[in-house]
Amino acid sequence: MLTWKTLQRIKAMASSSSNLNPYELLEVSSGFQFLTDQGKAYLVYTTEAEGYFPEGTLFAAHTFMFGFRPLRDSQRSLEEMVSPSQTSPTARAMEFDPRVSDTIVSFIQELFKDKRTVLLYVCDQTDGRQHVRAKLFDIWFHQYRVKKIIKVPIANTPSVYACMLFSSDNPYKGEIEDCLPEMIEKISYYLN
C-alpha cells in the first residue's frame, strides 16, 4: 500500500516534470483519488500481489496489483479515450482529458523509482470491454515512451488481459524472467 510519503514524492515529481500535467492526488483509505476539471472523480490504487508468485521468490515482496477506476458515472466511453478523433470536435474537447493519463503515468513512474517494483494489471472484465482497456494501456505505454520498463503479457485471451511491468534495471530481473512460464500458467489459471 502506498503511504503519504509516497504521495508527497508523486506531487514533487509531477511539479518538476515539464512533460506531464497530472491532477493532484488525495490519499484515501483505498488508495488515491483525483478530480478532473470536468468534475469526474477517479481512484488510483495498488494492492499486494505476492501470492501470485512462486513461494520463495525474492521479488514477490515487491509486487503490486495496479488499478484505477472512475468513482462516478463517466460521460466518456473507453472507446473515446482510445480513439478520441472518432468523436465530434466539440465532444472531444469536452470529453477527452489528457491529464487523466498524465496522472496515471505519474503515479506509475513514482512506483518505479524503486527498481525492485513489479506491477501487475488485469483489465476489468465486468462490462466485456477488457480489450478496449488493454488497447488504452498499450497506447499509453507507447505514447509516453516508457523507457527501461519491460511489459510482459501474462494473460491475453478474449476474456482476460493482464500484464506485468518491471524495470529493466530490476535487481531480480533474472529471477523474474526464469519464473515467467510458471507465473503465466498460475496467473492464467487463477484469472480464468
Side-chain angles (χ1 to χ4, degrees), residues 31 34 42 54 64 78 122 124 130 142 144 165-166:
F34 65 94
Y42 288 86
F64 300 94
L78 282 171
V122 179
D124 182 18
Q130 57 274 13
H142 295 293
Y144 288 93
L165 302 172
F166 60 96

Side-chain angles (χ1 to χ4, degrees), residues 5-56:
K5 183 178 175 183
T6 301
L7 174 63
Q8 295 307 312
R9 288 194 325 246
I10 290 171
K11 286 180 181 179
M13 186 256 335
S15 64
S16 67
S17 174
S18 60
N19 296 333
L20 298 177
N21 186 20
Y23 286 108
E24 183 175 346
L25 294 170
L26 172 67
E27 186 173 21
V28 294
S29 62
S30 54
F32 297 93
Q33 290 181 358
F34 65 94
L35 185 65
T36 70
D37 292 334
Q38 294 79 26
K40 297 172 186 167
Y42 288 86
L43 176 68
V44 183
Y45 59 92
T46 60
T47 57
E48 293 181 29
E50 189 171 344
Y52 284 101
F53 301 97
E55 199 171 316

